[in-house]
């Protein structure tokens, strides 16, 4: 992994994540667990656990993508079930994590666009963003630019790094949204 990206780096692609990406994905996530408040996890999962999580999502038919430049993983995103009960089967929750040196350059937008398109192609109808930490304005703004609207804030529901953290909830319609009958899924 390079120390910093040049200001004019070129994104070579968004593609489905593979088993070979899991070391880079784990390193990206480890940074966010240790340093950030977007994830409420406090212990860094190892590469085996991260690979298990990816496999579970893929087996469930959910998209999991990476952004790369010259074969280096710069960030990743995935969608998973919003809640496990069958009635939620048309709703997904998104997650996006970037390498710290890859932020602020539009990469999150590329990942979220790809994720939205993949979820719409699979017939999902709603996407929920659960943004850890009200102060995580880059993530909140990213979602708002992609058509999400704030639907609420859960106040002081987490604590990490010695402080209370809020969760901001945002929602976006996918495809037809609620304008037609929901799909029946194996849930």
């Amino acid at each position: 992994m390079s120390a910093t990206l040049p200001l004019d780096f070129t994104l070579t692609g968004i593609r489905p994540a593979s088993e070979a990406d899991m070391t880079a994905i784990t390193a990206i996530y480890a940074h966010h667990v240790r340093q950030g408040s977007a994830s409420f996890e406090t212990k860094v999962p190892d590469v085996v656990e991260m690979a298990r999580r990816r496999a579970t999502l893929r087996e469930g038919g959910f998209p999991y993508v990476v952004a790369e430049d010259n074969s280096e993983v710069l960030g990743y995103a995935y969608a998973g079930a919003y809640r496990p009960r069958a009635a939620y089967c048309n709703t997904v929750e998104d997650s996006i994590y970037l390498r710290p040196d890859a932020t602020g350059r539009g990469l999150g937008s590329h990942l979220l666009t790809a994720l939205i398109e993949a979820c719409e192609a699979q017939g999902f109808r709603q996407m929920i963003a659960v943004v850890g930490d009200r102060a995580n304005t880059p993530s909140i703004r990213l979602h708002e630019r992609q058509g999400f609207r704030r639907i609420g804030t859960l106040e002081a529901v987490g604590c990490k790094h010695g402080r209370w953290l809020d969760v901001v909830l945002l929602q976006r319609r996918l495809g037809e949204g609620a304008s037609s009958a929901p799909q029946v899924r194996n849930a």
Side-chain angles (χ1 to χ4, degrees), residues 75-88:
Y76 68 99
Y78 61 85
Y82 171 63
R83 295 284 184 264
R85 294 198 172 127
Y88 293 110

Side-chain angles (χ1 to χ4, degrees), residues 32-96:
H32 290 280
V33 170
R34 287 187 188 112
Q35 306 297 320
S37 53
S39 169
F40 279 22
E41 280 197 80
T42 57
K43 294 183 181 177
V44 176
D46 64 17
V47 71
V48 173
E49 173 59 15
M50 292 294 286
R52 185 199 64 74
R53 292 177 187 185
R54 177 188 155 272
T56 299
L57 287 168
R58 295 300 300 142
E59 288 166 11
F62 298 104
Y64 199 123
V65 296
V66 296
E68 69 177 354
D69 180 44
N70 296 319
S71 300
E72 279 191 63
V73 174
L74 305 176
Y76 68 99
Y78 61 85
Y82 171 63
R83 295 284 184 264
R85 294 198 172 127
Y88 293 110
C89 68
N90 287 284
T91 302
V92 293
E93 178 180 335
D94 74 289
S95 293
I96 302 169

Side-chain angles (χ1 to χ4, degrees), residues 21-31 44-48 50-51 76:
D21 299 319
M22 295 316 300
T23 299
I25 287 170
T26 301
I28 291 167
Y29 189 62
H31 168 81
V44 176
D46 64 17
V47 71
V48 173
M50 292 294 286
Y76 68 99

Side-chain angles (χ1 to χ4, degrees), residues 98-121:
L98 303 177
R99 266 183 20 192
D101 64 334
T103 62
R105 306 202 181 137
L107 184 57
S109 185
H110 289 292
L111 282 165
L112 186 52
T113 296
L115 201 59
I116 288 167
E117 289 172 359
C119 288
E120 286 179 332

